[in-house]
Amino acid sequence: MKKILMIDDDDDLAAPLKTYFARYDLALEHANHPDTGIALLKKNHYELLILDIMLPDKDGFESCKEIRYFSDIPIIMLTARGEVTDRVVGLELGADDYVSKPFDPRELVARIHRILKRGNTMATQQTCLAFGALEINFDAQTIHLDKQALSLTGHEFTLLKLLCDAQGKIISRDSIMQAVNGIDADVYSRSVDVLVSRLRQKLKPLEPIITLRGKGYRWALKPDE
């Protein structure tokens, strides 16, 4: 079974959700405090994290930021407010997807399977590319710049693969939207910009992504022969 961790202070939600998840080969573990959940993440291996925004002492945004310092685990954030601002901030911090409370458990399971399937698909492509000091292994889902490992989220890695596969061709926002398959449509253009910006920041001092206003984005580097 795939191990899933949920950090949420609603104990009444965790128990029935754990039972429901088991039907779909998902083993749910629950922490009702962010510090407890982060400690579990550091100690154990999980396939995905469900992170509530409204948490005691340390909210989901602060927790997400802390987690991204040591892990690139896929993160689905739960928000009771459902505001576009919340979702954009979460994307900037490295979240992969959102579900608004109250939610249908079937929707949450579907989003989890979609994210896990995306990761498995990428892992079977067995592609390695080098662009000078930048080395990408799409099989192992690792990236090194000047021999230093970089940590990318699932969406960031998907975007990187999409740009590299295009061989310098323009990738539209629509193509990015379809590829990541997890960004909400109502924050569509803003969230794509955020995703590209996050990837750019992690690839500095390189400037491999070119913006073509009104058209999309293009990968500027040529692979080593």
Short mmCIF file of all heavy atoms in Angstrom, two decimals, residues 10-75:
data_model
loop_
_atom_site.label_atom_id
_atom_site.label_comp_id
_atom_site.label_asym_id
_atom_site.label_seq_id
_atom_site.Cartn_x
_atom_site.Cartn_y
_atom_site.Cartn_z
N ASP A 10 -8.07 18.12 12.70
CA ASP A 10 -9.43 17.59 12.80
C ASP A 10 -9.37 16.07 12.97
O ASP A 10 -9.32 15.31 11.98
CB ASP A 10 -10.22 17.97 11.54
CG ASP A 10 -11.69 17.57 11.63
OD1 ASP A 10 -12.07 16.90 12.61
OD2 ASP A 10 -12.45 17.92 10.71
N ASP A 11 -9.40 15.61 14.22
CA ASP A 11 -9.32 14.17 14.49
C ASP A 11 -10.54 13.42 13.97
O ASP A 11 -10.45 12.24 13.63
CB ASP A 11 -9.17 13.93 16.00
CG ASP A 11 -7.83 14.41 16.53
OD1 ASP A 11 -6.84 14.31 15.79
OD2 ASP A 11 -7.79 14.89 17.68
N ASP A 12 -11.68 14.10 13.90
CA ASP A 12 -12.89 13.45 13.42
C ASP A 12 -12.83 13.14 11.93
O ASP A 12 -13.55 12.28 11.43
CB ASP A 12 -14.12 14.33 13.71
CG ASP A 12 -14.40 14.46 15.20
OD1 ASP A 12 -14.03 13.53 15.94
OD2 ASP A 12 -14.99 15.48 15.60
N LEU A 13 -11.99 13.85 11.20
CA LEU A 13 -11.84 13.63 9.76
C LEU A 13 -10.92 12.45 9.48
O LEU A 13 -11.13 11.69 8.54
CB LEU A 13 -11.28 14.89 9.09
CG LEU A 13 -10.91 14.80 7.61
CD1 LEU A 13 -12.16 14.52 6.77
CD2 LEU A 13 -10.23 16.09 7.15
N ALA A 14 -9.89 12.29 10.29
CA ALA A 14 -8.83 11.33 10.00
C ALA A 14 -9.32 9.88 10.02
O ALA A 14 -8.98 9.10 9.12
CB ALA A 14 -7.69 11.50 10.99
N ALA A 15 -10.09 9.51 11.02
CA ALA A 15 -10.48 8.10 11.18
C ALA A 15 -11.31 7.58 10.01
O ALA A 15 -10.97 6.55 9.40
CB ALA A 15 -11.22 7.90 12.51
N PRO A 16 -12.40 8.24 9.62
CA PRO A 16 -13.16 7.73 8.47
C PRO A 16 -12.39 7.81 7.16
O PRO A 16 -12.56 6.96 6.29
CB PRO A 16 -14.40 8.63 8.44
CG PRO A 16 -14.04 9.85 9.20
CD PRO A 16 -13.05 9.41 10.23
N LEU A 17 -11.53 8.82 7.05
CA LEU A 17 -10.75 8.94 5.82
C LEU A 17 -9.75 7.80 5.71
O LEU A 17 -9.50 7.28 4.61
CB LEU A 17 -10.01 10.29 5.82
CG LEU A 17 -9.62 10.86 4.45
CD1 LEU A 17 -10.83 11.00 3.55
CD2 LEU A 17 -8.93 12.21 4.63
N LYS A 18 -9.18 7.39 6.84
CA LYS A 18 -8.24 6.26 6.83
C LYS A 18 -8.93 4.99 6.35
O LYS A 18 -8.37 4.23 5.54
CB LYS A 18 -7.68 6.05 8.23
CG LYS A 18 -6.68 4.92 8.34
CD LYS A 18 -6.09 4.82 9.74
CE LYS A 18 -5.05 3.72 9.82
NZ LYS A 18 -4.43 3.64 11.17
N THR A 19 -10.15 4.75 6.81
CA THR A 19 -10.92 3.58 6.38
C THR A 19 -11.24 3.65 4.90
O THR A 19 -11.13 2.65 4.17
CB THR A 19 -12.22 3.48 7.19
OG1 THR A 19 -11.90 3.38 8.59
CG2 THR A 19 -13.02 2.25 6.77
N TYR A 20 -11.63 4.82 4.44
CA TYR A 20 -11.97 4.99 3.02
C TYR A 20 -10.74 4.80 2.14
O TYR A 20 -10.81 4.15 1.10
CB TYR A 20 -12.57 6.39 2.81
CG TYR A 20 -13.09 6.62 1.41
CD1 TYR A 20 -14.35 6.16 1.04
CD2 TYR A 20 -12.31 7.30 0.47
CE1 TYR A 20 -14.82 6.36 -0.25
CE2 TYR A 20 -12.79 7.50 -0.81
CZ TYR A 20 -14.03 7.03 -1.17
OH TYR A 20 -14.49 7.23 -2.44
N PHE A 21 -9.61 5.37 2.53
CA PHE A 21 -8.38 5.26 1.75
C PHE A 21 -7.96 3.80 1.57
O PHE A 21 -7.39 3.44 0.53
CB PHE A 21 -7.25 6.03 2.44
CG PHE A 21 -7.20 7.49 2.06
CD1 PHE A 21 -8.33 8.17 1.67
CD2 PHE A 21 -6.00 8.18 2.12
CE1 PHE A 21 -8.29 9.51 1.34
CE2 PHE A 21 -5.93 9.52 1.78
CZ PHE A 21 -7.07 10.19 1.39
N ALA A 22 -8.18 2.98 2.59
CA ALA A 22 -7.75 1.58 2.53
C ALA A 22 -8.39 0.83 1.37
O ALA A 22 -7.80 -0.11 0.83
CB ALA A 22 -8.07 0.89 3.85
N ARG A 23 -9.57 1.27 0.94
CA ARG A 23 -10.23 0.63 -0.20
C ARG A 23 -9.43 0.83 -1.49
O ARG A 23 -9.57 0.05 -2.43
CB ARG A 23 -11.63 1.23 -0.41
CG ARG A 23 -12.58 1.15 0.75
CD ARG A 23 -13.92 1.74 0.29
NE ARG A 23 -14.78 2.09 1.41
CZ ARG A 23 -15.93 2.74 1.28
NH1 ARG A 23 -16.31 3.12 0.05
NH2 ARG A 23 -16.66 3.02 2.32
N TYR A 24 -8.63 1.86 -1.51
CA TYR A 24 -7.90 2.22 -2.73
C TYR A 24 -6.39 2.00 -2.59
O TYR A 24 -5.59 2.65 -3.24
CB TYR A 24 -8.20 3.68 -3.09
CG TYR A 24 -9.66 3.92 -3.37
CD1 TYR A 24 -10.51 4.34 -2.35
CD2 TYR A 24 -10.20 3.70 -4.63
CE1 TYR A 24 -11.87 4.55 -2.59
CE2 TYR A 24 -11.55 3.90 -4.88
CZ TYR A 24 -12.37 4.33 -3.85
OH TYR A 24 -13.72 4.53 -4.09
N ASP A 25 -6.02 1.09 -1.71
CA ASP A 25 -4.63 0.72 -1.51
C ASP A 25 -3.78 1.89 -1.03
O ASP A 25 -2.62 2.04 -1.40
CB ASP A 25 -4.04 0.15 -2.81
CG ASP A 25 -2.81 -0.72 -2.56
OD1 ASP A 25 -2.76 -1.37 -1.50
OD2 ASP A 25 -1.91 -0.73 -3.42
N LEU A 26 -4.37 2.74 -0.18
CA LEU A 26 -3.66 3.88 0.39
C LEU A 26 -3.70 3.75 1.92
O LEU A 26 -4.77 3.62 2.52
CB LEU A 26 -4.33 5.20 -0.02
CG LEU A 26 -4.40 5.50 -1.52
CD1 LEU A 26 -5.24 6.75 -1.76
CD2 LEU A 26 -3.01 5.68 -2.11
N ALA A 27 -2.53 3.76 2.53
CA ALA A 27 -2.44 3.66 3.98
C ALA A 27 -2.22 5.06 4.56
O ALA A 27 -1.16 5.66 4.37
CB ALA A 27 -1.28 2.74 4.38
N LEU A 28 -3.23 5.57 5.24
CA LEU A 28 -3.19 6.94 5.75
C LEU A 28 -2.70 6.97 7.19
O LEU A 28 -3.21 6.27 8.06
CB LEU A 28 -4.57 7.58 5.67
CG LEU A 28 -4.66 9.03 6.13
CD1 LEU A 28 -3.90 9.94 5.17
CD2 LEU A 28 -6.11 9.48 6.25
N GLU A 29 -1.68 7.80 7.45
CA GLU A 29 -1.24 8.11 8.80
C GLU A 29 -1.59 9.56 9.09
O GLU A 29 -1.59 10.41 8.18
CB GLU A 29 0.26 7.87 8.97
CG GLU A 29 0.65 6.40 8.85
CD GLU A 29 2.12 6.18 9.16
OE1 GLU A 29 2.73 7.03 9.85
OE2 GLU A 29 2.66 5.15 8.71
N HIS A 30 -1.86 9.85 10.37
CA HIS A 30 -2.38 11.17 10.72
C HIS A 30 -1.58 11.81 11.85
O HIS A 30 -1.20 11.15 12.81
CB HIS A 30 -3.85 11.05 11.15
CG HIS A 30 -4.43 12.31 11.69
ND1 HIS A 30 -4.99 12.41 12.94
CD2 HIS A 30 -4.52 13.56 11.15
CE1 HIS A 30 -5.41 13.64 13.15
NE2 HIS A 30 -5.14 14.36 12.07
N ALA A 31 -1.31 13.09 11.69
CA ALA A 31 -0.70 13.90 12.75
C ALA A 31 -1.58 15.13 12.93
O ALA A 31 -1.95 15.78 11.95
CB ALA A 31 0.72 14.31 12.39
N ASN A 32 -1.95 15.46 14.18
CA ASN A 32 -2.84 16.59 14.40
C ASN A 32 -2.12 17.87 14.76
O ASN A 32 -2.74 18.88 15.10
CB ASN A 32 -3.90 16.26 15.47
CG ASN A 32 -3.27 15.87 16.80
OD1 ASN A 32 -2.08 16.09 17.03
ND2 ASN A 32 -4.07 15.28 17.67
N HIS A 33 -0.78 17.84 14.70
CA HIS A 33 0.01 19.05 14.94
C HIS A 33 1.13 19.10 13.91
O HIS A 33 1.74 18.07 13.60
CB HIS A 33 0.60 19.05 16.36
CG HIS A 33 1.16 20.37 16.77
ND1 HIS A 33 2.42 20.80 16.39
CD2 HIS A 33 0.63 21.39 17.52
CE1 HIS A 33 2.65 22.00 16.88
NE2 HIS A 33 1.58 22.39 17.57
N PRO A 34 1.43 20.28 13.37
CA PRO A 34 2.45 20.36 12.32
C PRO A 34 3.83 19.87 12.74
O PRO A 34 4.52 19.21 11.95
CB PRO A 34 2.48 21.85 11.96
CG PRO A 34 1.78 22.55 13.07
CD PRO A 34 0.79 21.59 13.61
N ASP A 35 4.23 20.14 13.97
CA ASP A 35 5.55 19.69 14.42
C ASP A 35 5.63 18.16 14.46
O ASP A 35 6.64 17.57 14.09
CB ASP A 35 5.88 20.26 15.81
CG ASP A 35 6.18 21.75 15.76
OD1 ASP A 35 6.48 22.26 14.65
OD2 ASP A 35 6.09 22.41 16.80
N THR A 36 4.54 17.53 14.89
CA THR A 36 4.49 16.07 14.91
C THR A 36 4.57 15.51 13.49
O THR A 36 5.30 14.56 13.21
CB THR A 36 3.19 15.58 15.58
OG1 THR A 36 3.09 16.15 16.88
CG2 THR A 36 3.18 14.06 15.68
N GLY A 37 3.82 16.12 12.58
CA GLY A 37 3.83 15.67 11.20
C GLY A 37 5.17 15.84 10.53
O GLY A 37 5.64 14.94 9.81
N ILE A 38 5.82 16.97 10.76
CA ILE A 38 7.14 17.22 10.15
C ILE A 38 8.17 16.24 10.69
O ILE A 38 9.03 15.76 9.95
CB ILE A 38 7.56 18.69 10.41
CG1 ILE A 38 6.67 19.62 9.57
CG2 ILE A 38 9.02 18.90 10.06
CD1 ILE A 38 6.85 21.09 9.89
N ALA A 39 8.06 15.91 11.97
CA ALA A 39 8.97 14.92 12.56
C ALA A 39 8.77 13.55 11.90
O ALA A 39 9.74 12.83 11.63
CB ALA A 39 8.74 14.82 14.07
N LEU A 40 7.52 13.19 11.62
CA LEU A 40 7.24 11.92 10.94
C LEU A 40 7.81 11.92 9.53
O LEU A 40 8.35 10.90 9.07
CB LEU A 40 5.73 11.67 10.90
CG LEU A 40 5.05 11.26 12.21
CD1 LEU A 40 3.54 11.25 12.06
CD2 LEU A 40 5.54 9.88 12.66
N LEU A 41 7.70 13.05 8.83
CA LEU A 41 8.24 13.15 7.47
C LEU A 41 9.75 12.95 7.46
O LEU A 41 10.29 12.36 6.53
CB LEU A 41 7.90 14.52 6.88
CG LEU A 41 6.53 14.70 6.23
CD1 LEU A 41 6.35 16.14 5.79
CD2 LEU A 41 6.35 13.76 5.05
N LYS A 42 10.41 13.47 8.46
CA LYS A 42 11.87 13.33 8.53
C LYS A 42 12.30 11.92 8.87
O LYS A 42 13.39 11.48 8.50
CB LYS A 42 12.43 14.31 9.55
CG LYS A 42 12.33 15.77 9.14
CD LYS A 42 12.92 16.69 10.19
CE LYS A 42 12.89 18.14 9.73
NZ LYS A 42 13.44 19.06 10.75
N LYS A 43 11.42 11.19 9.54
CA LYS A 43 11.76 9.85 10.02
C LYS A 43 11.35 8.75 9.06
O LYS A 43 12.06 7.74 8.90
CB LYS A 43 11.09 9.61 11.38
CG LYS A 43 11.38 8.26 12.01
CD LYS A 43 10.68 8.13 13.35
CE LYS A 43 10.93 6.77 13.98
NZ LYS A 43 10.21 6.63 15.28
N ASN A 44 10.20 8.91 8.40
CA ASN A 44 9.62 7.85 7.58
C ASN A 44 9.48 8.26 6.12
O ASN A 44 9.56 9.45 5.79
CB ASN A 44 8.23 7.47 8.13
CG ASN A 44 8.26 7.06 9.58
OD1 ASN A 44 9.13 6.29 10.00
ND2 ASN A 44 7.34 7.60 10.36
N HIS A 45 9.24 7.27 5.27
CA HIS A 45 9.00 7.54 3.84
C HIS A 45 7.51 7.52 3.56
O HIS A 45 6.81 6.56 3.90
CB HIS A 45 9.70 6.50 2.96
CG HIS A 45 9.35 6.64 1.51
ND1 HIS A 45 9.86 7.64 0.71
CD2 HIS A 45 8.50 5.91 0.72
CE1 HIS A 45 9.36 7.53 -0.50
NE2 HIS A 45 8.54 6.49 -0.53
N TYR A 46 7.03 8.57 2.90
CA TYR A 46 5.64 8.65 2.47
C TYR A 46 5.61 9.01 0.99
O TYR A 46 6.50 9.69 0.48
CB TYR A 46 4.87 9.71 3.27
CG TYR A 46 4.81 9.43 4.75
CD1 TYR A 46 5.74 10.00 5.63
CD2 TYR A 46 3.83 8.60 5.29
CE1 TYR A 46 5.70 9.75 6.99
CE2 TYR A 46 3.78 8.34 6.65
CZ TYR A 46 4.71 8.92 7.50
OH TYR A 46 4.67 8.65 8.84
N GLU A 47 4.55 8.58 0.31
CA GLU A 47 4.41 8.87 -1.11
C GLU A 47 3.85 10.27 -1.35
O GLU A 47 4.12 10.89 -2.38
CB GLU A 47 3.47 7.85 -1.77
CG GLU A 47 3.93 6.41 -1.65
CD GLU A 47 5.13 6.10 -2.51
OE1 GLU A 47 5.41 6.87 -3.45
OE2 GLU A 47 5.80 5.09 -2.23
N LEU A 48 3.07 10.76 -0.37
CA LEU A 48 2.38 12.04 -0.56
C LEU A 48 1.96 12.59 0.79
O LEU A 48 1.70 11.83 1.74
CB LEU A 48 1.16 11.84 -1.47
CG LEU A 48 0.33 13.06 -1.85
CD1 LEU A 48 -0.13 12.96 -3.32
CD2 LEU A 48 -0.92 13.16 -0.94
N LEU A 49 1.86 13.93 0.87
CA LEU A 49 1.43 14.60 2.09
C LEU A 49 0.16 15.39 1.84
O LEU A 49 0.06 16.13 0.85
CB LEU A 49 2.53 15.56 2.58
CG LEU A 49 2.15 16.53 3.72
CD1 LEU A 49 1.86 15.75 5.00
CD2 LEU A 49 3.25 17.55 3.94
N ILE A 50 -0.82 15.24 2.72
CA ILE A 50 -2.02 16.08 2.73
C ILE A 50 -1.85 17.06 3.88
O ILE A 50 -1.71 16.67 5.04
CB ILE A 50 -3.29 15.24 2.93
CG1 ILE A 50 -3.42 14.18 1.82
CG2 ILE A 50 -4.53 16.12 2.96
CD1 ILE A 50 -4.49 13.13 2.11
N LEU A 51 -1.86 18.35 3.57
CA LEU A 51 -1.50 19.38 4.55
C LEU A 51 -2.62 20.41 4.66
O LEU A 51 -2.93 21.09 3.67
CB LEU A 51 -0.19 20.05 4.13
CG LEU A 51 0.35 21.18 5.00
CD1 LEU A 51 0.67 20.69 6.41
CD2 LEU A 51 1.59 21.80 4.35
N ASP A 52 -3.20 20.53 5.84
CA ASP A 52 -4.24 21.52 6.07
C ASP A 52 -3.61 22.90 6.23
O ASP A 52 -2.51 23.04 6.78
CB ASP A 52 -5.05 21.15 7.32
CG ASP A 52 -6.31 21.98 7.46
OD1 ASP A 52 -6.81 22.48 6.43
OD2 ASP A 52 -6.79 22.13 8.60
N ILE A 53 -4.29 23.94 5.76
CA ILE A 53 -3.78 25.30 5.93
C ILE A 53 -4.00 25.78 7.35
O ILE A 53 -3.11 26.38 7.96
CB ILE A 53 -4.45 26.26 4.92
CG1 ILE A 53 -3.95 25.97 3.50
CG2 ILE A 53 -4.15 27.71 5.28
CD1 ILE A 53 -4.54 26.88 2.44
N MET A 54 -5.19 25.54 7.91
CA MET A 54 -5.54 26.03 9.23
C MET A 54 -5.06 25.05 10.30
O MET A 54 -5.73 24.09 10.63
CB MET A 54 -7.05 26.24 9.34
CG MET A 54 -7.62 27.15 8.26
SD MET A 54 -6.94 28.83 8.33
CE MET A 54 -7.72 29.41 9.83
N LEU A 55 -3.85 25.30 10.82
CA LEU A 55 -3.24 24.42 11.82
C LEU A 55 -2.86 25.23 13.07
O LEU A 55 -2.61 26.43 12.97
CB LEU A 55 -1.98 23.76 11.24
CG LEU A 55 -2.18 22.71 10.15
CD1 LEU A 55 -0.84 22.34 9.52
CD2 LEU A 55 -2.87 21.46 10.70
N PRO A 56 -2.79 24.58 14.22
CA PRO A 56 -2.40 25.29 15.44
C PRO A 56 -0.90 25.59 15.46
O PRO A 56 -0.08 24.80 15.01
CB PRO A 56 -2.78 24.30 16.55
CG PRO A 56 -2.71 22.95 15.90
CD PRO A 56 -3.16 23.18 14.48
N ASP A 57 -0.55 26.77 15.97
CA ASP A 57 0.84 27.19 16.21
C ASP A 57 1.62 27.50 14.93
O ASP A 57 2.42 28.43 14.90
CB ASP A 57 1.61 26.14 17.03
CG ASP A 57 0.96 25.86 18.38
OD1 ASP A 57 0.43 26.81 18.98
OD2 ASP A 57 0.97 24.70 18.81
N LYS A 58 1.42 26.72 13.91
CA LYS A 58 2.16 26.89 12.65
C LYS A 58 1.23 26.52 11.50
O LYS A 58 0.86 25.36 11.36
CB LYS A 58 3.39 25.98 12.67
CG LYS A 58 4.31 26.11 11.46
CD LYS A 58 5.39 25.05 11.51
CE LYS A 58 6.23 25.14 12.75
NZ LYS A 58 7.29 24.10 12.80
N ASP A 59 0.83 27.50 10.68
CA ASP A 59 -0.16 27.21 9.65
C ASP A 59 0.44 26.39 8.50
O ASP A 59 1.65 26.13 8.46
CB ASP A 59 -0.84 28.48 9.13
CG ASP A 59 0.09 29.40 8.34
OD1 ASP A 59 1.16 28.94 7.89
OD2 ASP A 59 -0.25 30.59 8.20
N GLY A 60 -0.42 26.00 7.57
CA GLY A 60 0.02 25.14 6.47
C GLY A 60 1.04 25.79 5.57
O GLY A 60 1.92 25.12 5.03
N PHE A 61 0.96 27.12 5.39
CA PHE A 61 1.92 27.82 4.55
C PHE A 61 3.33 27.74 5.16
O PHE A 61 4.30 27.42 4.49
CB PHE A 61 1.52 29.28 4.37
CG PHE A 61 0.22 29.47 3.66
CD1 PHE A 61 -0.72 30.36 4.14
CD2 PHE A 61 -0.07 28.76 2.51
CE1 PHE A 61 -1.93 30.55 3.48
CE2 PHE A 61 -1.27 28.93 1.84
CZ PHE A 61 -2.21 29.83 2.34
N GLU A 62 3.41 28.05 6.45
CA GLU A 62 4.71 27.99 7.14
C GLU A 62 5.24 26.56 7.17
O GLU A 62 6.44 26.33 6.98
CB GLU A 62 4.56 28.53 8.56
CG GLU A 62 5.88 28.68 9.31
CD GLU A 62 5.72 29.26 10.70
OE1 GLU A 62 4.59 29.69 11.03
OE2 GLU A 62 6.71 29.28 11.44
N SER A 63 4.34 25.61 7.38
CA SER A 63 4.75 24.20 7.40
C SER A 63 5.25 23.75 6.04
O SER A 63 6.27 23.06 5.93
CB SER A 63 3.58 23.32 7.84
OG SER A 63 3.13 23.66 9.13
N CYS A 64 4.55 24.15 4.97
CA CYS A 64 4.95 23.80 3.61
C CYS A 64 6.35 24.35 3.31
O CYS A 64 7.19 23.66 2.73
CB CYS A 64 3.93 24.33 2.62
SG CYS A 64 4.27 23.91 0.89
N LYS A 65 6.57 25.60 3.69
CA LYS A 65 7.87 26.22 3.46
C LYS A 65 8.98 25.45 4.18
O LYS A 65 10.05 25.21 3.62
CB LYS A 65 7.84 27.67 3.94
CG LYS A 65 9.11 28.45 3.63
CD LYS A 65 8.95 29.91 4.06
CE LYS A 65 10.21 30.71 3.74
NZ LYS A 65 10.05 32.14 4.15
N GLU A 66 8.71 25.05 5.42
CA GLU A 66 9.71 24.30 6.20
C GLU A 66 9.97 22.93 5.57
O GLU A 66 11.12 22.49 5.46
CB GLU A 66 9.22 24.13 7.64
CG GLU A 66 10.20 23.39 8.53
CD GLU A 66 9.74 23.33 9.98
OE1 GLU A 66 8.86 24.14 10.37
OE2 GLU A 66 10.23 22.46 10.73
N ILE A 67 8.92 22.26 5.12
CA ILE A 67 9.05 20.94 4.53
C ILE A 67 9.87 20.99 3.24
O ILE A 67 10.67 20.09 2.96
CB ILE A 67 7.66 20.34 4.27
CG1 ILE A 67 6.98 19.98 5.60
CG2 ILE A 67 7.74 19.09 3.36
CD1 ILE A 67 5.49 19.72 5.49
N ARG A 68 9.70 22.04 2.46
CA ARG A 68 10.41 22.14 1.19
C ARG A 68 11.92 22.33 1.37
O ARG A 68 12.68 22.15 0.42
CB ARG A 68 9.82 23.28 0.35
CG ARG A 68 8.52 22.88 -0.34
CD ARG A 68 8.76 21.80 -1.37
NE ARG A 68 7.53 21.31 -2.02
CZ ARG A 68 7.11 20.07 -1.93
NH1 ARG A 68 7.79 19.17 -1.25
NH2 ARG A 68 6.01 19.70 -2.56
N TYR A 69 12.36 22.64 2.57
CA TYR A 69 13.80 22.74 2.82
C TYR A 69 14.46 21.36 2.84
O TYR A 69 15.66 21.24 2.58
CB TYR A 69 14.08 23.45 4.15
CG TYR A 69 14.01 24.95 4.06
CD1 TYR A 69 13.06 25.66 4.79
CD2 TYR A 69 14.89 25.68 3.26
CE1 TYR A 69 12.99 27.05 4.72
CE2 TYR A 69 14.82 27.06 3.18
CZ TYR A 69 13.87 27.74 3.91
OH TYR A 69 13.80 29.10 3.83
N PHE A 70 13.68 20.31 3.15
CA PHE A 70 14.30 18.99 3.25
C PHE A 70 13.60 17.90 2.44
O PHE A 70 14.09 16.77 2.37
CB PHE A 70 14.37 18.54 4.73
CG PHE A 70 13.03 18.27 5.37
CD1 PHE A 70 12.45 17.01 5.28
CD2 PHE A 70 12.36 19.26 6.07
CE1 PHE A 70 11.23 16.74 5.88
CE2 PHE A 70 11.13 19.01 6.67
CZ PHE A 70 10.57 17.74 6.57
N SER A 71 12.48 18.22 1.79
CA SER A 71 11.75 17.17 1.07
C SER A 71 11.04 17.75 -0.15
O SER A 71 10.52 18.87 -0.12
CB SER A 71 10.71 16.52 1.99
OG SER A 71 9.91 15.58 1.29
N ASP A 72 10.99 16.93 -1.23
CA ASP A 72 10.21 17.30 -2.42
C ASP A 72 8.96 16.42 -2.54
O ASP A 72 8.42 16.24 -3.63
CB ASP A 72 11.07 17.19 -3.68
CG ASP A 72 11.61 15.79 -3.92
OD1 ASP A 72 11.35 14.89 -3.07
OD2 ASP A 72 12.30 15.57 -4.92
N ILE A 73 8.49 15.88 -1.42
CA ILE A 73 7.30 15.05 -1.42
C ILE A 73 6.12 15.82 -2.02
O ILE A 73 5.96 17.02 -1.78
CB ILE A 73 6.96 14.60 0.02
CG1 ILE A 73 5.78 13.61 0.02
CG2 ILE A 73 6.65 15.80 0.93
CD1 ILE A 73 5.50 13.01 1.39
N PRO A 74 5.28 15.17 -2.86
CA PRO A 74 4.09 15.85 -3.37
C PRO A 74 3.18 16.28 -2.22
O PRO A 74 2.97 15.52 -1.27
CB PRO A 74 3.41 14.79 -4.23
CG PRO A 74 4.51 13.84 -4.60
CD PRO A 74 5.44 13.81 -3.43
N ILE A 75 2.66 17.49 -2.31
CA ILE A 75 1.81 18.05 -1.25
C ILE A 75 0.47 18.49 -1.82
O ILE A 75 0.41 19.26 -2.77
CB ILE A 75 2.49 19.25 -0.56
CG1 ILE A 75 3.80 18.82 0.12
CG2 ILE A 75 1.54 19.88 0.47
CD1 ILE A 75 4.57 19.98 0.73
#
